[in-house]
Amino acid sequence: MHVIDSHTEGEPTRVIVDGGPPLGRGPLKERLARFAADFDHFRRYAVNEPRGHDAMVGALLCEPHDPSCAAGVIFFNNIGYLGMCGHGTIGLAATLAHMGRLRPGRHRFETPVGIVGVELADHGSATVDNVESFRHLRGVMVEVMGLGSVRGDVAWGGNWFFLTDRTPCDLVPANVSELTRAATAIRDALAAQGVTGKEGAPIDHIEMFAPPKSSEANSRNFVLCPGGAYDRSPCGTGTSAKIACLDADGKLKPGEVWIQESLIGSRFRASFEPGPNGGVLPRIGGRAFICAEGELLQDPADPFRFGFDNLAA
């Protein structure tokens, strides 16, 4: 399996450029279902220990179904699959540029949840035109063990998010363990109390907000991803969900820039235009850097050749 690793504002992406599962052709949504049903061992092999780690996001490079697209992509992580991934899309753009397959300019990528635009600049910078994002529920109150009553919004940004200003401590890397416990408790409470996304979709990302550390940013966030790791970047789909909520509250105007800061201090530049279905069309900009290129190998005698799940996650 030939892979290229990058990080986008601190968050890793591993792109499978050759040696992935034979998913055939057809819409990306159908190929994702085939991936999950018949070839999930490829996912575990690519991103789980011992070759990967909990924070690693994988991206399977595919031929697009839509001929207007430069590439198709299926994103996945340590426990399953993602409809869309903002940092991963920026990482994919930088990877394709590294391979000589993408030049600076505007391009389109096909994902299982729709087509996204990508504007590639020099030196790994790219801006993603994400899928239409929207707030689904406003001011939801849940009772959370150890935290009490927690209020937040439910929004779609390519994945489902619960967004809240309630934090148990300062949003700094030293507090990752406490933040993870609190965000996990919120996610468990949402599921137990029947709070979901549209059509009963589970809310698998929890996003906490606090004032930024930098004077150049508008907000700092902590994002708990589905597999138990936190997002080192400001989270592209999470920032899209935030933008949708800001628009719904009348706190951000079309074209106005919002700078989202991550737990480690990296930043995404975000703005939006009105969407055709009442939501917003977010534009998320950041930088990706190529870290490594190589082959993942299998030994038939290796009991962990298809990876293993971190039981502590």
Side-chain angles (χ1 to χ4, degrees), residues 5-310:
D5 289 359
S6 65
H7 79 82
T8 303
E9 304 295 354
E11 182 75 353
T13 305
R14 172 167 288 169
V15 179
I16 300 175
V17 299
D18 192 30
L23 302 181
R25 297 187 176 275
L28 267 292
K29 187 175 182 179
E30 295 178 7
R31 280 186 267 176
L32 184 154
R34 199 174 303 136
F35 195 168
D38 300 331
F39 300 102
D40 190 61
H41 57 285
F42 278 83
R43 176 192 62 80
R44 302 194 309 273
Y45 167 58
V47 299
N48 281 15
E49 294 187 57
R51 296 175 188 83
H53 53 84
D54 286 350
M56 179 74 74
V57 171
L60 176 65
L61 181 62
C62 307
E63 286 295 320
H65 182 62
D66 187 318
S68 71
C69 294
V73 60
I74 297 173
F75 293 109
F76 51 92
N77 62 11
N78 60 326
I79 64 164
Y81 299 85
L82 301 168
M84 171 54 187
C85 180
H87 95 265
T89 301
I90 296 172
L92 176 60
T95 296
L96 291 173
H98 171 75
M99 296 171 65
R101 290 182 50 175
L102 211 65
R103 294 183 179 277
R106 296 188 64 83
H107 308 277
R108 285 156 61 89
F109 292 167
E110 187 174 1
T111 79
V113 296
I115 293 173
V116 299
V118 179
E119 185 170 359
L120 178 65
D122 293 325
H123 309 298
S125 295
T127 300
V128 177
D129 295 320
N130 198 10
V131 296
E132 187 167 1
S133 304
F134 59 90
R135 182 165 66 188
H136 177 57
L137 298 172
R138 178 179 184 273
V140 176
M141 187 74 75
V142 289
E143 295 299 319
V144 181
M145 185 176 297
L147 294 175
S149 298
V150 175
R151 183 186 299 274
D153 293 350
V154 176
W156 168 260
N159 297 298
W160 283 106
F161 287 82
F162 181 79
L163 305 91
T164 182
D165 292 329
R166 177 70 182 279
T167 63
C169 54
D170 196 15
L171 299 192
V172 294
N175 291 335
V176 163
S177 294
E178 186 174 356
L179 291 165
T180 298
R181 284 193 296 271
T184 301
I186 292 172
R187 187 167 62 194
D188 291 345
L190 291 167
Q193 295 168 42
V195 180
T196 69
K198 191 175 181 180
E199 297 177 350
I203 299 168
D204 54 8
H205 291 71
I206 305 299
E207 189 167 12
M208 298 175 175
F209 295 92
K213 303 299 182 183
S214 169
S215 60
E216 298 178 359
N218 296 99
S219 170
R220 172 171 279 225
N221 67 5
F222 170 85
V223 179
L224 181 70
C225 300
Y230 76 94
D231 200 323
R232 277 70 171 164
S233 81
C235 187
T237 54
T239 300
S240 297
K242 176 66 172 179
I243 291 296
C245 293
L246 289 168
D247 170 65
D249 287 334
K251 294 181 178 179
L252 196 69
K253 298 176 182 179
E256 189 176 352
V257 173
W258 178 269
I259 305 296
Q260 187 62 60
E261 181 182 74
S262 76
L263 190 77
I264 67 170
S266 57
R267 297 189 289 271
F268 280 162
R269 181 182 177 90
S271 62
F272 76 92
E273 295 298 331
N277 300 304
V280 301
L281 296 174
R283 286 178 56 83
I284 309 295
R287 303 165 301 165
F289 301 90
I290 302 301
C291 301
E293 180 172 4
E295 305 289 330
L296 301 185
L297 305 176
Q298 285 189 38
D299 184 335
D302 180 0
F304 303 119
R305 64 187 182 277
F306 294 127
F308 62 87
D309 294 327
N310 183 349

